């Protein structure tokens, strides 16, 4: 290659061999099984000399376009067909598998075109280009189904049914990565959907518990539920989301039901030694609140647990006064 200039047609013909083989990574082949070190350097050298040769015009723009087109071709020919017709957990599994293979393929192709990945040659890194292609062609069209499938798995996990939490973790990471280099963050949308669904889920559950349990048992059930929820979601959601979700639970299980619990306590006329403290309901709310290390402003709740406690004390005084 160094002996004479490389024309655009010659260079593209050489690179096409590498591109075709690199696409096989999407089928699960490791790059080490597809290329020797010498072959890898052949494709890198081809791009390098096409960019620096002076006898012919710089081919950087054509090479950059070919890199992007190779990514788009791989998504259209392999990724999208693999997702077609799938729903629920099978859709999420296929997506995360394809996303992992796609990143490996993009990294391999990026090695061929590495000379382009310089600030004075391109305003966007090759990595960002690869993420943008996947986001535009896959995530933009499939996001609603992906979100619904992930939330369905979270609810499945809440009902103690066997759930692949590692899959949910991969989906959370995927949504975070899809926001890289873009103003719209998919994880933020995902988080809002989770909080809204959680609020609805535990609002229904609280109504069922109020009809089913005594006041004492309700408090115990709420505290147990909070602990279990923390253990579950901490495995697959971002920590900031876990903290916001805990505030939603506290509001739905204790904040919304506080006055009803006090009325229920009054009607039941509980006189158990463990709850002789007249402020035990308020104390239970504050104790449960301590599971949350920081406070977040969430549009779903609007009212913090301390505010609820103060309002209860002002309105009802102590249980002895009732």
């Amino acid at each position: 290659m160094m002996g004479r200039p490389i024309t655009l047609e010659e260079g593209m013909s050489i690179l096409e061999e590498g591109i075709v083989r690199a696409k096989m990574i999407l089928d699960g082949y490791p790059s080490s099984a597809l290329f020797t070190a010498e072959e890898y350097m052949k494709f890198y050298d081809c791009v390098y000399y096409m960019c620096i040769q002076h006898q012919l015009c710089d081919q950087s723009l054509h090479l950059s376009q070919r890199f992007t087109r190779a990514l788009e071709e791989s998504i259209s020919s392999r990724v999208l067909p693999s997702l077609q017709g799938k729903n629920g957990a099978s859709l999420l599994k296929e997506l995360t598998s394809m996303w992992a293979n796609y990143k490996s393929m993009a990294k391999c192709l990026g090695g061929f075109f590495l000379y382009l990945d310089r600030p004075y040659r391109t305003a966007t890194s090759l990595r960002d280009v690869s993420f943008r292609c996947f986001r535009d062609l896959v995530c933009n069209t499939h996001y609603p189904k992906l979100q619904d499938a992930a939330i369905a798995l979270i609810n499945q996990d809440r009902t103690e049914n066997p759930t692949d939490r590692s899959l949910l973790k991969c989906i959370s990471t995927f949504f975070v990565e899809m926001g890289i280099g873009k103003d719209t963050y998919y994880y933020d949308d995902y988080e809002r959907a989770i909080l809204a669904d959680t609020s609805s889920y535990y609002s229904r559950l609280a109504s069922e518990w109020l009809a089913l349990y005594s006041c004492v048992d309700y408090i115990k059930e709420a505290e147990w539920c909070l602990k279990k929820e923390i253990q579950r979601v901490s495995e697959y959601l971002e920590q900031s989301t876990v903290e916001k979700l805990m505030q939603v639970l506290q509001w739905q299980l204790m904040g919304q039901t506080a006055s009803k619990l006090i009325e229920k306590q009054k009607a039941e006329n509980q006189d158990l030694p463990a709850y002789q403290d007249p402020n035990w309901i308020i104390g239970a709310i504050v104790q449960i609140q301590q599971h949350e290390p920081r406070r977040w402003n969430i549009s779903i709740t609007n009212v913090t647990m301390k505010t609820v406690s103060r309002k209860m004390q002002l309105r009802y005084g102590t249980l002895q006064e009732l």
Side-chain angles (χ1 to χ4, degrees):
M1 292 183 188
M2 296 180 62
R4 61 181 178 82
I6 305 172
T7 65
L8 178 62
E9 293 73 17
E10 289 175 324
M12 289 301 181
S13 178
I14 293 171
L15 288 173
E16 194 63 28
E17 176 192 350
I19 290 171
V20 169
R21 287 159 63 183
K23 288 179 181 179
M24 295 174 65
I25 296 175
L26 283 175
D27 298 324
Y29 292 94
S31 60
S32 58
L34 297 172
F35 302 99
T36 64
E38 292 76 13
E39 289 172 328
Y40 203 89
M41 286 304 302
K42 178 182 74 172
F43 301 123
Y44 172 83
D45 287 343
C46 178
V47 172
Y48 174 75
Y49 287 114
M50 289 177 72
C51 290
I52 67 168
Q53 59 192 3
H54 300 292
Q55 294 88 341
L56 299 175
C57 63
D58 187 344
Q59 308 290 358
S60 297
L61 178 60
H62 295 290
L63 291 168
S64 178
Q65 291 172 342
R66 185 64 188 103
F67 174 76
T68 301
R69 194 164 68 253
L71 296 171
E72 294 171 343
E73 290 168 355
S74 66
I75 293 172
S76 298
S77 64
R78 285 176 167 81
V79 177
L80 292 178
S82 74
L83 301 178
Q84 191 172 3
K86 290 184 172 62
N87 295 284
S90 62
L91 173 64
L92 300 182
K93 288 178 182 178
E94 187 65 26
L95 174 81
T96 53
S97 175
M98 274 294 176
W99 174 234
N101 290 344
Y102 174 84
K103 286 191 291 184
S104 297
M105 183 205 69
K107 183 178 180 180
C108 179
L109 286 174
F112 301 163
F113 292 85
L114 186 60
Y115 191 75
L116 297 175
D117 209 8
R118 296 164 183 256
Y120 62 86
R121 288 189 174 275
T122 178
T124 307
S125 70
L126 298 182
R127 179 176 180 269
D128 286 350
V129 170
S130 68
F131 276 43
R132 184 196 66 209
C133 288
F134 203 92
R135 178 173 57 239
D136 292 347
L137 297 178
V138 179
C139 199
N140 282 357
T141 56
H142 286 74
Y143 175 75
K145 288 181 65 176
L146 297 173
Q147 175 186 284
D148 291 346
I151 290 178
L153 276 188
I154 291 174
N155 283 323
Q156 177 179 303
D157 195 28
R158 284 185 178 131
T159 56
E160 304 294 335
N161 288 315
T163 304
D164 187 353
R165 293 179 182 175
S166 63
L167 177 59
L168 285 170
K169 177 61 178 177
C170 288
I171 288 297
S172 293
T173 302
F174 170 74
F175 286 142
V176 170
E177 290 177 322
M178 283 294 94
I180 294 176
K182 187 174 174 63
D183 293 334
T184 300
Y185 298 100
Y186 284 97
Y187 186 83
D188 290 349
D189 294 338
Y190 181 48
E191 178 185 79
R192 282 191 289 270
I194 290 173
L195 295 179
D197 183 79
T198 298
S199 179
S200 177
Y201 178 88
Y202 281 103
S203 177
R204 294 192 302 270
L205 199 62
S207 297
E208 294 174 7
W209 287 356
L210 282 171
L212 183 63
Y213 296 126
S214 68
C215 186
V216 174
D217 290 339
Y218 182 100
I219 295 290
K220 291 180 179 179
E221 194 71 19
E223 187 169 13
W224 177 85
C225 185
L226 279 165
K227 291 178 180 178
K228 294 292 289 184
E229 187 77 5
I230 290 175
Q231 292 172 358
R232 283 192 298 267
V233 300
S234 293
E235 293 188 28
Y236 47 78
L237 295 179
E238 297 290 299
Q239 183 57 36
S240 60
T241 306
V242 174
E243 293 168 354
K244 295 175 186 179
L245 187 142
M246 286 303 101
Q247 190 174 1
V248 170
L249 261 70
Q250 290 161 1
W251 173 244
Q252 290 300 340
L253 294 181
M254 299 302 297
Q256 289 275 44
T257 61
S259 60
K260 293 181 180 179
L261 285 172
I262 289 182
E263 294 297 336
K264 192 176 183 69
Q265 160 71 8
K266 179 181 177 181
E268 292 171 354
N269 193 25
Q270 292 282 359
D271 192 25
L272 298 178
Y275 298 100
Q276 287 179 348
D277 181 357
N279 288 310
W280 72 268
I281 292 181
I282 296 175
I285 293 175
V286 174
Q287 182 180 4
I288 291 175
Q289 181 192 9
Q290 291 173 354
H291 288 298
E292 180 196 9
R294 290 190 290 173
R295 189 170 313 287
W296 298 81
N297 292 323
I298 303 175
S299 59
I300 293 174
T301 64
N302 292 326
V303 181
T304 66
M305 294 304 298
K306 283 186 178 178
T307 301
V308 171
S309 298
R310 286 197 299 270
K311 287 185 176 180
M312 287 170 59
Q313 288 173 317
L314 290 173
R315 179 177 178 182
Y316 296 104
T318 67
L319 293 183
Q320 285 178 333
E321 294 170 351
L322 292 173

